Amino acid sequence: MKKHSARVAPLSSYSTQVLTCPTSQGDDETEVHPESPVSDSSAESRSYHTCTSTALKVLGGLLMVLCVSSSWVGTTQVVKLTFQSFSCPFFISWFSSNWNILFFPLYYSGHFMLTREKQTPIQKFRECSRLFGEDGMTLKLFVKRTAPFSILWTLTNYLYLLALKKLTATDVSALYCCHKAFVFLLSWIVLKDRFMGVRIVAAIMAITGIVMMAYADGFHGDSFVGVALAVGSASTSALYKVLFKMFLGSASLGEVAHFLSTMGFFNLIFISLVPLILYFTKMEHWGSLSSLPWGYLCGLAGLWLVFNILVHVGVVLTYPILISIGTLLSVPGNAAVDVLKHEVIFSVVRLAATCVICLGFLLLLLPEEWDAVTLRFLAAIADKKSEDHGEELTDSSAHTRARSRANGAVSIPLA
């Protein structure tokens, strides 16, 4: 039985692709063959279908960008609303992470409806368990592989929520975008990825934006603490993604769904002790279960789950660069909500810091061959301009000779 599964890079959003519409090209041959209308029509048909599929993929990607951005903006804003009546960030993080258990059941439901090869949930689960090794998932591997990733996942979410208690949603979402620069630095140091000068510049811009954000209200008070918490969240997120790439490599969508559901189970079984300890030590105290804002909590957890699903599924359905752009667009989205609803007034320094961080994020989206592509593009423009100029000169000389003949003048060629 063949295995049909699209490959997914865990650093979703971290690789970039050039959007092109390929056309069929024939090989150069010494012999001249008569043109066949059937082959020409088939080549045109293939080119048309390729362009159509590329256009549909781009349109689907644009829709995915809006969905990713909207879900992340919604998650951040609902967190701010939840804090007004329930200020227990670790409990919120733990409760939301438990919803990752639903990832594999949702994946299996979609896989069952869209594929002809029907497998039972147990068969599909065992097939995706190969991510843990040839023998599948054992208790030892479950703890060994899942524990570090689950801890990093929890720290990322917890620090992000703590930062939202100190800063506006716009500032936190902008600072979180620095995780892409940290991913590049860690990949360059640990994974020995290719060195790129433009990405070093982008990383420097991200660090500059962080310093400017911390300096906005002085290096003291809640603002500085909030910046430190947001940068910590971005750092743990980058470490999570680099370790995923290092130890788990390129996994299929089913294996990613299996792994996220496994982390949800680990969170439910082992990390449940932490909110209980915080409750009994009065560090995070809540009343009876009936008094909890379950509407906000379930809405927040659902939006967070939707965001994670869109990020991982979007890499398969469209271009990864569009998913990254969707994450970046959450910054202006949160800014619009903060200004219109919460009437937040941003200082010039904060706006400048946000713009610097976003610009660095965009530089990190450049493909590895961006310099060669840019040079080829500029050379093509220069060639086209020279050809147009030559055609203008030819047309001008022909027009001059025609006017000379019309006036009875004779052009005497020079030897």
Side-chain angles (χ1 to χ4, degrees):
M1 179 175 64
K2 297 181 180 180
K3 177 182 178 183
H4 299 276
S5 59
R7 305 301 292 174
V8 168
L11 301 180
S12 66
S13 52
Y14 309 107
S15 61
T16 57
Q17 299 179 5
V18 180
L19 307 184
T20 59
C21 183
T23 56
S24 59
Q25 297 179 348
D27 297 333
D28 295 335
E29 297 180 358
T30 56
E31 298 181 1
V32 179
H33 297 281
E35 296 184 356
S36 173
V38 177
S39 61
D40 290 344
S41 61
S42 61
E44 292 178 359
S45 177
R46 287 195 299 269
S47 177
Y48 172 77
H49 286 302
T50 304
C51 292
T52 302
S53 61
T54 303
L56 291 176
K57 196 173 184 181
V58 171
L59 292 176
L62 295 177
L63 179 61
M64 190 68 68
V65 165
L66 295 177
C67 293
V68 169
S69 178
S70 301
S71 61
W72 192 232
V73 171
T75 300
T76 305
Q77 294 297 330
V78 172
V79 170
K80 299 288 286 186
L81 292 175
T82 305
F83 280 155
Q84 296 177 3
S85 58
F86 184 71
S87 183
C88 297
F90 195 91
F91 180 86
I92 296 173
S93 173
W94 169 81
F95 180 77
S96 301
S97 298
N98 288 336
W99 283 49
N100 284 339
I101 297 174
L102 300 175
F103 210 109
F104 184 81
L106 292 174
Y107 161 77
Y108 176 77
S109 301
H111 177 80
F112 183 82
M113 291 186 294
L114 297 177
T115 57
R116 295 181 179 180
E117 296 182 2
K118 306 302 181 182
Q119 293 177 294
T120 63
I122 300 299
Q123 290 175 335
K124 193 62 182 177
F125 187 84
R126 289 177 178 174
E127 179 182 324
C128 296
S129 297
R130 295 175 185 173
L131 180 70
F132 291 89
E134 294 297 331
D135 298 332
M137 184 175 61
T138 61
L139 180 59
K140 181 180 179 180
L141 284 176
F142 168 73
V143 176
K144 181 180 178 181
R145 291 289 182 90
T146 309
F149 293 101
S150 183
I151 292 173
L152 288 174
W153 181 285
T154 302
L155 280 176
T156 299
N157 296 342
Y158 180 54
L159 293 175
Y160 188 85
L161 296 179
L162 286 177
L164 285 173
K165 294 185 67 174
K166 306 291 184 180
L167 301 173
T168 63
T170 305
D171 294 341
V172 177
S173 58
L175 289 168
Y176 184 74
C177 287
C178 294
H179 78 275
K180 196 166 183 63
F182 299 152
V183 167
F184 163 69
L185 293 175
L186 288 175
S187 300
W188 176 43
I189 297 171
V190 179
L191 302 180
K192 308 300 180 183
D193 281 1
R194 177 185 173 186
F195 173 82
M196 291 183 62
V198 67
R199 293 186 179 177
I200 289 293
V201 173
I204 295 174
M205 293 179 67
I207 296 172
T208 303
I210 292 171
V211 175
M212 291 175 64
M213 192 75 73
Y215 174 75
D217 295 330
F219 294 97
H220 60 275
D222 290 344
S223 177
F224 180 77
V225 175
V227 171
L229 291 171
V231 173
S233 176
S235 302
T236 52
S237 175
L239 182 59
Y240 167 86
K241 290 160 185 172
V242 171
L243 290 179
F244 197 110
K245 185 178 180 180
M246 177 188 295
F247 293 109
L248 302 179
S250 180
S252 68
L253 180 58
E255 291 169 342
V256 172
H258 178 280
F259 187 75
L260 291 175
S261 291
T262 304
M263 285 203 310
F265 277 112
F266 184 91
N267 184 81
L268 180 62
I269 296 172
F270 295 100
I271 302 186
S272 297
L273 295 175
V274 179
L276 292 177
I277 293 174
L278 294 177
Y279 174 78
F280 288 112
T281 56
K282 306 298 182 180
M283 296 182 66
E284 284 193 4
H285 182 74
W286 60 88
S288 61
L289 294 178
S290 59
S291 64
L292 296 181
W294 290 112
Y296 284 134
L297 291 175
C298 293
L300 168 61
L303 284 172
W304 220 324
L305 178 65
V306 169
F307 173 76
N308 289 320
I309 291 175
L310 290 174
V311 167
H312 291 91
V313 175
V315 176
V316 179
L317 299 180
T318 183
Y319 299 95
I321 187 175
L322 298 179
I323 306 301
S324 298
I325 294 175
T327 305
L328 179 63
L329 289 179
S330 65
V331 178
N334 280 311
V337 176
D338 286 341
V339 171
L340 297 177
K341 184 175 181 180
H342 304 293
E343 299 181 354
V344 176
I345 300 176
F346 297 101
S347 64
V348 176
V349 177
R350 288 187 180 277
L351 287 176
T354 301
C355 293
V356 169
I357 293 173
C358 293
L359 183 58
F361 188 94
L362 290 175
L363 289 178
L364 288 166
L365 297 181
L366 291 175
E368 293 184 357
E369 302 82 8
W370 72 274
D371 49 352
V373 173
T374 304
L375 290 176
R376 287 198 301 268
F377 178 72
L378 294 177
I381 293 177
D383 292 340
K384 186 176 181 180
K385 286 184 177 180
S386 61
E387 290 177 0
D388 293 342
H389 183 64
E391 291 177 357
E392 289 177 0
L393 291 177
T394 303
D395 295 341
S396 177
S397 61
H399 182 66
T400 302
R401 287 196 299 270
R403 291 182 59 186
S404 299
R405 287 195 297 268
N407 296 329
V410 178
S411 178
I412 303 175
L414 299 178

PDB file of all heavy atoms in Angstrom, residues 132 138-149 247 259 266:
ATOM      1  N   PHE A 132       8.374   8.524  15.945  1.00  0.00           N
ATOM      2  CA  PHE A 132       9.142   8.235  17.146  1.00  0.00           C
ATOM      3  C   PHE A 132      10.161   7.116  16.930  1.00  0.00           C
ATOM      4  O   PHE A 132      10.925   6.807  17.829  1.00  0.00           O
ATOM      5  CB  PHE A 132       8.193   7.823  18.285  1.00  0.00           C
ATOM      6  CG  PHE A 132       7.344   8.955  18.781  1.00  0.00           C
ATOM      7  CD1 PHE A 132       6.112   9.218  18.210  1.00  0.00           C
ATOM      8  CD2 PHE A 132       7.774   9.765  19.816  1.00  0.00           C
ATOM      9  CE1 PHE A 132       5.321  10.259  18.662  1.00  0.00           C
ATOM     10  CE2 PHE A 132       6.993  10.812  20.272  1.00  0.00           C
ATOM     11  CZ  PHE A 132       5.762  11.054  19.696  1.00  0.00           C
ATOM     12  N   THR A 138       6.730   4.237  22.341  1.00  0.00           N
ATOM     13  CA  THR A 138       6.775   3.545  23.621  1.00  0.00           C
ATOM     14  C   THR A 138       6.711   4.589  24.735  1.00  0.00           C
ATOM     15  O   THR A 138       6.833   5.792  24.489  1.00  0.00           O
ATOM     16  CB  THR A 138       8.050   2.706  23.756  1.00  0.00           C
ATOM     17  OG1 THR A 138       9.196   3.595  23.683  1.00  0.00           O
ATOM     18  CG2 THR A 138       8.151   1.684  22.623  1.00  0.00           C
ATOM     19  N   LEU A 139       6.538   4.125  25.974  1.00  0.00           N
ATOM     20  CA  LEU A 139       6.430   5.055  27.096  1.00  0.00           C
ATOM     21  C   LEU A 139       7.717   5.849  27.274  1.00  0.00           C
ATOM     22  O   LEU A 139       7.686   7.065  27.532  1.00  0.00           O
ATOM     23  CB  LEU A 139       6.113   4.277  28.377  1.00  0.00           C
ATOM     24  CG  LEU A 139       5.976   5.124  29.655  1.00  0.00           C
ATOM     25  CD1 LEU A 139       4.862   6.150  29.495  1.00  0.00           C
ATOM     26  CD2 LEU A 139       5.748   4.237  30.865  1.00  0.00           C
ATOM     27  N   LYS A 140       8.853   5.174  27.089  1.00  0.00           N
ATOM     28  CA  LYS A 140      10.140   5.854  27.231  1.00  0.00           C
ATOM     29  C   LYS A 140      10.294   6.938  26.165  1.00  0.00           C
ATOM     30  O   LYS A 140      10.699   8.075  26.455  1.00  0.00           O
ATOM     31  CB  LYS A 140      11.278   4.840  27.147  1.00  0.00           C
ATOM     32  CG  LYS A 140      12.662   5.452  27.305  1.00  0.00           C
ATOM     33  CD  LYS A 140      13.740   4.390  27.214  1.00  0.00           C
ATOM     34  CE  LYS A 140      15.126   5.018  27.338  1.00  0.00           C
ATOM     35  NZ  LYS A 140      16.202   3.989  27.242  1.00  0.00           N
ATOM     36  N   LEU A 141       9.987   6.585  24.916  1.00  0.00           N
ATOM     37  CA  LEU A 141      10.096   7.567  23.831  1.00  0.00           C
ATOM     38  C   LEU A 141       9.062   8.676  23.985  1.00  0.00           C
ATOM     39  O   LEU A 141       9.326   9.824  23.634  1.00  0.00           O
ATOM     40  CB  LEU A 141       9.926   6.869  22.478  1.00  0.00           C
ATOM     41  CG  LEU A 141      11.115   6.059  21.971  1.00  0.00           C
ATOM     42  CD1 LEU A 141      10.755   5.349  20.675  1.00  0.00           C
ATOM     43  CD2 LEU A 141      12.323   6.963  21.746  1.00  0.00           C
ATOM     44  N   PHE A 142       7.898   8.312  24.501  1.00  0.00           N
ATOM     45  CA  PHE A 142       6.851   9.311  24.714  1.00  0.00           C
ATOM     46  C   PHE A 142       7.343  10.418  25.636  1.00  0.00           C
ATOM     47  O   PHE A 142       7.173  11.611  25.350  1.00  0.00           O
ATOM     48  CB  PHE A 142       5.605   8.631  25.288  1.00  0.00           C
ATOM     49  CG  PHE A 142       4.573   9.577  25.803  1.00  0.00           C
ATOM     50  CD1 PHE A 142       3.789  10.321  24.939  1.00  0.00           C
ATOM     51  CD2 PHE A 142       4.375   9.733  27.172  1.00  0.00           C
ATOM     52  CE1 PHE A 142       2.830  11.210  25.416  1.00  0.00           C
ATOM     53  CE2 PHE A 142       3.425  10.606  27.656  1.00  0.00           C
ATOM     54  CZ  PHE A 142       2.647  11.340  26.773  1.00  0.00           C
ATOM     55  N   VAL A 143       7.977  10.032  26.745  1.00  0.00           N
ATOM     56  CA  VAL A 143       8.470  11.023  27.699  1.00  0.00           C
ATOM     57  C   VAL A 143       9.714  11.719  27.156  1.00  0.00           C
ATOM     58  O   VAL A 143       9.849  12.948  27.249  1.00  0.00           O
ATOM     59  CB  VAL A 143       8.769  10.360  29.054  1.00  0.00           C
ATOM     60  CG1 VAL A 143       9.380  11.364  30.030  1.00  0.00           C
ATOM     61  CG2 VAL A 143       7.496   9.756  29.642  1.00  0.00           C
ATOM     62  N   LYS A 144      10.625  10.932  26.559  1.00  0.00           N
ATOM     63  CA  LYS A 144      11.900  11.491  26.107  1.00  0.00           C
ATOM     64  C   LYS A 144      11.719  12.494  24.981  1.00  0.00           C
ATOM     65  O   LYS A 144      12.358  13.561  24.968  1.00  0.00           O
ATOM     66  CB  LYS A 144      12.815  10.347  25.657  1.00  0.00           C
ATOM     67  CG  LYS A 144      14.184  10.798  25.182  1.00  0.00           C
ATOM     68  CD  LYS A 144      15.025   9.609  24.759  1.00  0.00           C
ATOM     69  CE  LYS A 144      16.387  10.063  24.244  1.00  0.00           C
ATOM     70  NZ  LYS A 144      17.215   8.901  23.802  1.00  0.00           N
ATOM     71  N   ARG A 145      10.865  12.176  24.018  1.00  0.00           N
ATOM     72  CA  ARG A 145      10.689  13.049  22.868  1.00  0.00           C
ATOM     73  C   ARG A 145       9.692  14.181  23.132  1.00  0.00           C
ATOM     74  O   ARG A 145       9.848  15.284  22.606  1.00  0.00           O
ATOM     75  CB  ARG A 145      10.209  12.230  21.665  1.00  0.00           C
ATOM     76  CG  ARG A 145      11.243  11.271  21.108  1.00  0.00           C
ATOM     77  CD  ARG A 145      12.357  12.029  20.408  1.00  0.00           C
ATOM     78  NE  ARG A 145      13.343  11.143  19.824  1.00  0.00           N
ATOM     79  CZ  ARG A 145      13.278  10.661  18.589  1.00  0.00           C
ATOM     80  NH1 ARG A 145      12.237  10.978  17.827  1.00  0.00           N
ATOM     81  NH2 ARG A 145      14.221   9.874  18.128  1.00  0.00           N
ATOM     82  N   THR A 146       8.676  13.908  23.929  1.00  0.00           N
ATOM     83  CA  THR A 146       7.605  14.884  24.096  1.00  0.00           C
ATOM     84  C   THR A 146       7.892  15.908  25.183  1.00  0.00           C
ATOM     85  O   THR A 146       7.508  17.075  25.044  1.00  0.00           O
ATOM     86  CB  THR A 146       6.283  14.159  24.408  1.00  0.00           C
ATOM     87  OG1 THR A 146       6.058  13.125  23.447  1.00  0.00           O
ATOM     88  CG2 THR A 146       5.115  15.125  24.367  1.00  0.00           C
ATOM     89  N   ALA A 147       8.581  15.489  26.246  1.00  0.00           N
ATOM     90  CA  ALA A 147       8.781  16.372  27.405  1.00  0.00           C
ATOM     91  C   ALA A 147       9.463  17.696  27.048  1.00  0.00           C
ATOM     92  O   ALA A 147       8.946  18.768  27.388  1.00  0.00           O
ATOM     93  CB  ALA A 147       9.559  15.633  28.491  1.00  0.00           C
ATOM     94  N   PRO A 148      10.627  17.687  26.381  1.00  0.00           N
ATOM     95  CA  PRO A 148      11.276  18.984  26.108  1.00  0.00           C
ATOM     96  C   PRO A 148      10.444  19.908  25.228  1.00  0.00           C
ATOM     97  O   PRO A 148      10.386  21.123  25.470  1.00  0.00           O
ATOM     98  CB  PRO A 148      12.594  18.586  25.422  1.00  0.00           C
ATOM     99  CG  PRO A 148      12.387  17.206  24.926  1.00  0.00           C
ATOM    100  CD  PRO A 148      11.444  16.573  25.871  1.00  0.00           C
ATOM    101  N   PHE A 149       9.778  19.345  24.223  1.00  0.00           N
ATOM    102  CA  PHE A 149       8.962  20.174  23.334  1.00  0.00           C
ATOM    103  C   PHE A 149       7.730  20.707  24.055  1.00  0.00           C
ATOM    104  O   PHE A 149       7.326  21.867  23.839  1.00  0.00           O
ATOM    105  CB  PHE A 149       8.553  19.375  22.097  1.00  0.00           C
ATOM    106  CG  PHE A 149       9.696  19.032  21.201  1.00  0.00           C
ATOM    107  CD1 PHE A 149      10.258  17.766  21.225  1.00  0.00           C
ATOM    108  CD2 PHE A 149      10.234  19.968  20.333  1.00  0.00           C
ATOM    109  CE1 PHE A 149      11.321  17.441  20.400  1.00  0.00           C
ATOM    110  CE2 PHE A 149      11.290  19.655  19.497  1.00  0.00           C
ATOM    111  CZ  PHE A 149      11.843  18.388  19.539  1.00  0.00           C
ATOM    112  N   PHE A 247      15.805  17.243  15.571  1.00  0.00           N
ATOM    113  CA  PHE A 247      15.569  15.884  16.035  1.00  0.00           C
ATOM    114  C   PHE A 247      14.484  15.144  15.255  1.00  0.00           C
ATOM    115  O   PHE A 247      14.554  13.921  15.114  1.00  0.00           O
ATOM    116  CB  PHE A 247      15.201  15.897  17.527  1.00  0.00           C
ATOM    117  CG  PHE A 247      16.317  16.327  18.417  1.00  0.00           C
ATOM    118  CD1 PHE A 247      16.290  17.550  19.061  1.00  0.00           C
ATOM    119  CD2 PHE A 247      17.422  15.517  18.612  1.00  0.00           C
ATOM    120  CE1 PHE A 247      17.320  17.965  19.872  1.00  0.00           C
ATOM    121  CE2 PHE A 247      18.465  15.908  19.433  1.00  0.00           C
ATOM    122  CZ  PHE A 247      18.421  17.139  20.065  1.00  0.00           C
ATOM    123  N   PHE A 259       2.097  14.261  16.611  1.00  0.00           N
ATOM    124  CA  PHE A 259       3.020  14.789  17.610  1.00  0.00           C
ATOM    125  C   PHE A 259       2.351  15.869  18.460  1.00  0.00           C
ATOM    126  O   PHE A 259       2.539  15.904  19.685  1.00  0.00           O
ATOM    127  CB  PHE A 259       4.257  15.344  16.919  1.00  0.00           C
ATOM    128  CG  PHE A 259       5.342  15.770  17.866  1.00  0.00           C
ATOM    129  CD1 PHE A 259       6.132  14.832  18.500  1.00  0.00           C
ATOM    130  CD2 PHE A 259       5.561  17.112  18.128  1.00  0.00           C
ATOM    131  CE1 PHE A 259       7.134  15.220  19.383  1.00  0.00           C
ATOM    132  CE2 PHE A 259       6.548  17.513  19.009  1.00  0.00           C
ATOM    133  CZ  PHE A 259       7.341  16.562  19.630  1.00  0.00           C
ATOM    134  N   PHE A 266       0.591  14.841  26.981  1.00  0.00           N
ATOM    135  CA  PHE A 266       1.652  15.062  27.974  1.00  0.00           C
ATOM    136  C   PHE A 266       1.302  16.256  28.853  1.00  0.00           C
ATOM    137  O   PHE A 266       1.501  16.225  30.078  1.00  0.00           O
ATOM    138  CB  PHE A 266       2.982  15.292  27.264  1.00  0.00           C
ATOM    139  CG  PHE A 266       4.146  15.442  28.201  1.00  0.00           C
ATOM    140  CD1 PHE A 266       4.887  14.336  28.580  1.00  0.00           C
ATOM    141  CD2 PHE A 266       4.494  16.684  28.715  1.00  0.00           C
ATOM    142  CE1 PHE A 266       5.964  14.461  29.463  1.00  0.00           C
ATOM    143  CE2 PHE A 266       5.564  16.825  29.591  1.00  0.00           C
ATOM    144  CZ  PHE A 266       6.303  15.713  29.962  1.00  0.00           C
TER     145      PHE A 266
END
